[in-house]
């Protein structure tokens, strides 16, 4: 059976001071203690290890071979211990750690992108892992503790124990080719889109499941003719005249050649929400939430 050593780290620090100074008096002064207890601590360590660490002469001290090996190992061990404790302190202050962040792709084209970028820059020792998932999948992962934070659009009643906070008001717009007849309208009724072809992202990676329900509430099921994984591909297809789509207003802040955005007559909210479990939140998560909500 492997022997378990119960040596106190203090004993190693006392030993290392003597090993580096090769003088009990100077080592004691360095440790802000008197020489007699220091000598007793070193003898205690030698007793625990069953070997001499120093050759003691009347006016000098020398390391044995075992002492030389322990000096190098003690340096590595104490340095590693200090690094570990410093990292734990950073985690406790929210300055280090890991955050599994669930997000819908459209949120990354909003102000959230700038806020999270600022957070990452201010907290370089926090590893933020982005996981693009639908709201339903994010909630499931939050419940299983596989996500720390979820960000999605539309108000959702979260599972008991989870907190939902609205980060930003937004709305869905109609994106259409620049030569579409409805471009002349200042605002468009959702029902006027019932005979249009739609280009969308898959429901598993976007807000489209929610938008599909919105269309059904307006009295029609959208005719989806194309799907693309990336939102820029969806808008490229719109520009090519393959169909129209509903997109969050953050996309209208950028120039998409051949694409025109128009608001809906009845606002369809695309508000962004952050969802998390306050009781399970680490200091890093709490800092991220505070940054998001403050902005």
């Amino acid at each position: 059976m492997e022997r378990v050593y119960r040596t106190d780290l203090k004993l190693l620090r006392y030993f290392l001071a003597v090993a580096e100074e090769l003088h009990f008096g100077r080592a004691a002064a360095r440790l802000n203690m008197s020489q007699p207890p220091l000598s007793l601590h070193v003898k205690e360590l030698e007793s625990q290890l069953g070997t001499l660490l120093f050759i003691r002469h009347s006016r000098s001290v020398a390391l044995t071979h075992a002492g030389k090996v322990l000096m190098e190992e003690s340096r590595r061990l104490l340095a590693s211990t200090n690094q570990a404790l410093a990292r734990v302190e950073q985690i406790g202050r929210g300055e280090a750690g890991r955050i599994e962040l669930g997000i819908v792709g459209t949120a990354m084209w909003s102000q959230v992108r700038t806020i999270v970028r600022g957070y990452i820059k201010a907290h370089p020792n926090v590893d933020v892992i982005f996981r693009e998932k639908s709201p339903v999948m994010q909630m499931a992962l939050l419940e299983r503790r596989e996500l720390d934070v979820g960000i999605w659009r539309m108000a959702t009643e979260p599972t008991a124990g989870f907190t939902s906070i609205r980060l930003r008001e937004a709305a869905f717009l109609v994106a259409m080719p620049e030569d579409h007849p409805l471009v002349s309208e200042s605002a468009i009724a959702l029902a006027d889109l019932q005979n249009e072809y739609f280009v969308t992202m898959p429901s598993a990676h976007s807000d489209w499941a929610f938008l599909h329900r919105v269309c059904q509430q307006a009295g029609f099921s959208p005719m989806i003719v194309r799907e693309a994984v990336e939102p820029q591909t969806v808008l490229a297809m719109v520009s090519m005249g393959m169909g129209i789509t509903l997109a969050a207003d953050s996309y209208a802040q950028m120039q998409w050649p051949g694409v025109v955005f128009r608001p809906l007559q009845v606002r369809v909210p695309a508000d962004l929400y952050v969802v998390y479990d306050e009781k399970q939140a680490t200091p890093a998560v709490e800092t991220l939430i505070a940054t998001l909500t403050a902005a």
Side-chain angles (χ1 to χ4, degrees), residues 100-137:
E100 294 278 352
L101 176 62
I103 198 162
V104 292
T106 57
M108 295 305 291
W109 293 97
S110 68
Q111 185 187 11
V112 167
R113 180 185 73 256
T114 304
I115 298 170
V116 174
R117 179 177 181 269
Y119 172 85
I120 292 172
K121 187 175 181 180
H123 302 83
N125 293 320
V126 177
D127 191 10
V128 181
I129 309 299
F130 293 91
R131 300 181 65 180
E132 187 178 353
K133 301 289 181 182
S134 68
V136 173
M137 181 58 74

Side-chain angles (χ1 to χ4, degrees), residues 106 109 132 175 177 198-202 225-247 251 254-259 261:
T106 57
W109 293 97
E132 187 178 353
F198 281 78
V199 181
T200 73
M201 293 174 64
V225 294
R226 294 283 192 282
E227 282 191 350
V229 175
E230 301 293 338
Q232 56 264 35
T233 307
V234 170
L235 292 171
M237 289 180 177
V238 169
S239 72
M240 295 165 65
M242 293 183 178
I244 67 168
T245 196
L246 296 174
Y251 285 102
M254 293 166 280
Q255 291 296 319
W256 300 95
V259 179
F261 295 88

Side-chain angles (χ1 to χ4, degrees), residues 24-89:
F24 276 89
R26 290 195 298 270
R30 171 174 153 183
L31 294 167
N32 293 315
M33 61 189 301
S34 60
Q35 183 174 332
L38 175 60
S39 297
L40 289 175
H41 285 312
V42 172
K43 287 181 180 178
E44 180 185 354
L45 180 59
E46 289 177 322
S47 176
Q48 288 183 10
L49 298 177
T51 185
L52 287 176
L53 301 173
F54 296 100
I55 300 171
R56 297 162 174 83
H57 302 289
S58 58
R59 294 188 178 182
S60 65
V61 175
L63 284 164
T64 64
H65 176 66
K68 291 177 181 178
V69 172
L70 184 59
M71 181 174 70
E72 295 305 317
E73 294 297 333
S74 295
R75 283 172 173 165
R76 281 194 287 268
L77 178 60
L78 293 174
S80 178
T81 300
N82 286 337
Q83 289 173 0
L85 294 177
R87 179 161 179 79
V88 170
E89 281 189 336

